[in-house]
Each structure stands twice: as structure tokens, then as C-alpha cells.
Amino acid sequence: MRMTYPMSNTPEIEIAESGTILDNKGKFNDLKVMLDSNKENVKVDAMRRIINMVARGKDVSDLFPAVVKNVAAKNLELKKLVYVYLVRYAEEQQDLALLSISTFQRGLKDPNQLIRASALRVLSSIRVQMIAPVMMLAIRESVRDMSPYVRKVAAHAIPKLFALDPELQNQLIECIDFLLGDKRTLVLGSAVYAFEKTCPERLDLLHKHFRLLCRALADIDEWGQIVMIGLLTRYARTQFLAPFDIDSPIRHNIKNKISNASDNNDDQSYEDNQLYKTKFQTLDPDHNLLLVAVRPLLQSRNPAVVMAVAQLYYIAPFSQLSAVPRALVRLLRGTNEVSYIVLVNIASMICSNNSRWKNEIIKDEGEEGEKNKKETILDFVSAFPKKFFFVRSSDTLQVKQLKLNVLTCLVDESNVQLVIRELQAYMQMTDLAEEAVEAIGRCALAVPSAASETCLATLVRIISEPNTEKKLSVLLLLF
């Protein structure tokens, strides 16, 4: 709780939890005196109090001149606390920070890795064009530092320098290329982040690092995994051929056809063989390596990681899509916010995959091939457990509406009666009645042979009810 007097010359005061009135200016003066003391333990105590105030969200930027004078202290604990403060306020107090550039440069040579990393972090927080060459030199040295923590900080400093001086991009790309080959997972996540912020179009840099990134993916921190999966997804979409099921009957039929044509010395055999190699060959080993590497991440505790993996599985063969539904359904047990995002993506996946088989049929596959591929896609759609999409009273209206859309997309001859009974119950909900009526109509259109009588009887019964809104919805649906 903070109170101020209306008079401009009245010092600001603070009422502590105990009821004691504290004079902030007087308190800062005490801290300044302590920071100017000749005793190291007094300075350490002052810095602890300052960092405590920073952690509680208090503005102690007025102490910057007094703190920065201690950046060259020999006491390791004091130096760490000073750098923690400087990292917080260096960007706000750039003019004063510039006066200590030489001290920060000496900090880059400190034996302690935390001091070296903190010095680089403070240096990269000073957004002044004139020190860009100094920062570039510091980053070049830090990316080759023996400490992986310092290399990680160097990776995070690269986007800051690029934003400050885009003309240094080529030199920064060299640093990124070096960091992408790092064997420590602590560094790789930050290196990929620097790549995405500095040169996202340079996918050619990933060719020699692709397998290393795939193998390290499971050991990187979860937020680094999100960035890396997004990058590897972009890479796979541009560098690999569209996948096709290895064990698909379509593939075997085409292969047998080509084999018979070759035995008969058919002139068309060469062209057919080329078609087989481009469309029906087995997965590229690197493509398969990526799919194998990301599959365990479907069990991640971070919903964003699971969603990133689900997005990547759009480049997987149809037969491997069955791993995605249960991972997504697991996320529906989370908060309403997470459930909403997951449901939006599930609805998109189901709708797109219901029509995907129509757009990817090879011309010469025939009816059997079309049937097999359709069954594969429908297996993916049916892998979503229906009961998880039943509406609950605690769901928000947006989540309820999305669940209705998903239910109607999942309906087939085997579950249409169950879905319709569920929708009939939703018609009693005031906020969901109209949507439930429309959903029943969609079920009748999706499975006309099995549901037409049940749906029609339900709709006729609604017309006979006095509820005008429901009746209007039915009439609009019928006509």
C-alpha cells in the first residue's frame, strides 16, 4: 500500500505491513551509503535488499549509479547481485550503462561462467548503435565459450544485436551455424530460437544439422521443443516428398502392375517405375527419423508441445495418424482455455481429413485404392473417442458449440443413434437448443440411411412443441 501527499516537495512515503511508515528517499539514501562502504559484507547486504525490492516489483532505478560502481568488485556474491540488478535496468539507464562498457568487457573474461554470461546479457541490453561492433565481438567469443550456459546466453543475444543492426546478419548467421552444431541440448533450443528470429528463410543451414536436432529434440526444454518442432516442420514440408503409406494395398498393387509390365517388356514400364519411385517409395530415412523423434512428445505435459507435434503429423503417412487423437483428447481434461484451443484444432483436423482422401487419390488407383485410402482416413477420424466430446454443464458456450461440431463430424452408422440421443438431451439446454437442432439435421445428412427416421421423428416432435425458437430452427433446417 502506497500513499503520497499532494505537495510536490513532500517525500513519498510507504506504509509497511506492520504499520511502520517508511521514507523511501531516506531508505534509498541509506542504501547508497551502504553501497559506498568499504566493507564487502555491508555492500552485499545492501544489494540483497535492493534485489528483494526488485523481486517485489518496486522501482529502484534511482540506485543505478550507486550500483554500477560496484560492478568491478572482487567479491563474487556481490558481483553476481550487481549483474542481476544491471540486467534488469541496463536497458532503461543506457547512458549510465555506457560508462561501464569497459567493465562489462572485462567481465566477459571472468573465470566464473555466471559472471561472463551476466556481462554479455547486460551488454546486449544496451540498445545503442555505436556499441554494435563491441557486441558482435563479444558474441563471437561467447559462442565458443567452454560453458554451455554462456553459449546459451550468446544465442539469446544474437536476435537483440540483429534488431539493433541488421547489416550484421551475415556475421550473425556464422555464429548461428556454429551453435546449431552444438552437442549440448541446453544450447540447441536457444540456437534454434536465434535462427528463427534472425534468418528463418535460410533452411539450407539445417541440412548438416538436421539429424542432430532430431536426436536432441526429446532432451531440450519444453519451450525450446515448441520452437524446434515448428522449424523442423517447415523444413520437412519443403525438403521431403509427400508421404505415402509403406504397407498400403495401393502401393503393392501399383508395384505389382509395374513388375508385370517389366516382365512383358512394356514400353510404359519405365514411366510407371519413375512414378512409383516418386510417389510410392518408402519414407526418406531423415523423414522417418523426424517422425520417430517427435512421437514420444505426444505425451508431453505441455499442451503447446503436443499441439506442435500434432501439426507436424500432417506430413506423416496416413497409417501413423492414429497416434494423434488420444494425445489431443488427453488435453481436453485441462482448463477451458486449453480445451477451446484443442477443440478448434481437433475440429479442423477431423473436417480436413474427412475430405483429404478425396483430394489425394492417384488417378490409376481405381475403386479399390480409393476405398482403402478412405478407410485409412476414417480410421483416423474414428480414433477420437466420442464420449470426450459430450457436453458438460461446466463447459463454456464456445466449448459446447465446438463439441457439437466435432460430434457431428464423428458421426457414422455405428454411433449415430448414440449421438442423436445425446443431442436430444442438449435440446433441453437454453443456450444450446438451437445448435442441437442444427446438429441433428447434420447427422441426418451425414448418415441418411440409418438416421433419417429417428431424426425426422425428433424434428417433427419439436415442431409440435410450443417453443417458438426451436420450431423456427427446425423449419429453417427443413426448408
Side-chain angles (χ1 to χ4, degrees), residues 215-227:
R215 295 190 181 101
L217 188 57
D219 298 322
I220 295 174
D221 66 280
E222 56 190 19
W223 299 111
Q225 287 173 347
I226 298 169
V227 179

Side-chain angles (χ1 to χ4, degrees), residues 368-388:
E368 181 181 357
E370 181 176 343
K371 179 180 178 182
N372 288 328
K373 182 170 285 190
K374 181 178 179 180
E375 289 177 353
T376 305
I377 295 298
L378 293 180
D379 287 342
F380 163 75
V381 174
S382 61
F384 287 94
K386 315 300 179 295
K387 63 180 181 179
F388 287 98

Side-chain angles (χ1 to χ4, degrees), residues 427-428 458-468 470-471:
M427 289 168 53
Q428 308 304 319
T458 302
L459 297 176
V460 170
R461 180 171 56 82
I462 295 173
I463 293 176
S464 62
E465 292 180 355
N467 191 316
T468 307
K470 291 183 183 179
K471 188 182 300 185

Side-chain angles (χ1 to χ4, degrees), residues 256-273:
N256 293 334
K257 176 182 175 182
I258 294 171
S259 178
N260 294 334
S262 299
D263 294 339
N264 298 330
N265 296 322
D266 194 334
D267 294 336
Q268 191 68 19
S269 62
Y270 176 78
E271 295 181 6
D272 290 340
N273 191 44

Side-chain angles (χ1 to χ4, degrees), residues 226-243:
I226 298 169
V227 179
M228 187 175 291
I229 292 172
L231 174 60
L232 293 177
T233 301
R234 288 199 299 116
Y235 180 87
R237 285 175 173 172
T238 57
Q239 304 299 321
F240 299 138
L241 294 174

Side-chain angles (χ1 to χ4, degrees), residues 294-412:
V294 300
R295 189 182 182 96
L297 298 182
L298 287 171
Q299 307 303 321
S300 173
R301 63 181 180 179
N302 190 322
V305 175
V306 179
M307 292 305 307
V309 176
Q311 180 186 19
L312 185 143
Y313 261 79
Y314 268 88
I315 62 170
F318 295 126
S319 59
Q320 297 189 26
L321 294 179
S322 59
V324 177
R326 290 194 176 277
L328 295 180
V329 167
R330 176 174 61 87
L331 301 181
L332 295 178
R333 301 188 182 99
T335 62
N336 282 330
E337 292 79 7
V338 173
S339 298
Y340 176 76
I341 298 299
V342 173
L343 280 170
V344 169
N345 285 273
I346 288 177
S348 175
M349 289 179 181
I350 291 175
C351 294
S352 63
N353 280 287
N354 265 331
S355 59
R356 183 176 172 187
W357 67 275
K358 299 178 182 178
N359 300 325
E360 298 192 11
I361 300 297
I362 307 301
K363 292 182 180 179
D364 296 332
E365 289 177 1
E367 294 181 0
E368 181 181 357
E370 181 176 343
K371 179 180 178 182
N372 288 328
K373 182 170 285 190
K374 181 178 179 180
E375 289 177 353
T376 305
I377 295 298
L378 293 180
D379 287 342
F380 163 75
V381 174
S382 61
F384 287 94
K386 315 300 179 295
K387 63 180 181 179
F388 287 98
F389 302 106
F390 290 166
V391 173
R392 296 180 297 180
S393 58
S394 59
D395 292 334
T396 62
L397 179 60
Q398 293 81 4
V399 170
K400 290 178 180 179
Q401 293 172 345
L402 279 171
K403 284 186 174 182
L404 284 186
N405 290 335
V406 173
L407 274 178
T408 53
C409 288
L410 292 175
V411 70
D412 56 29

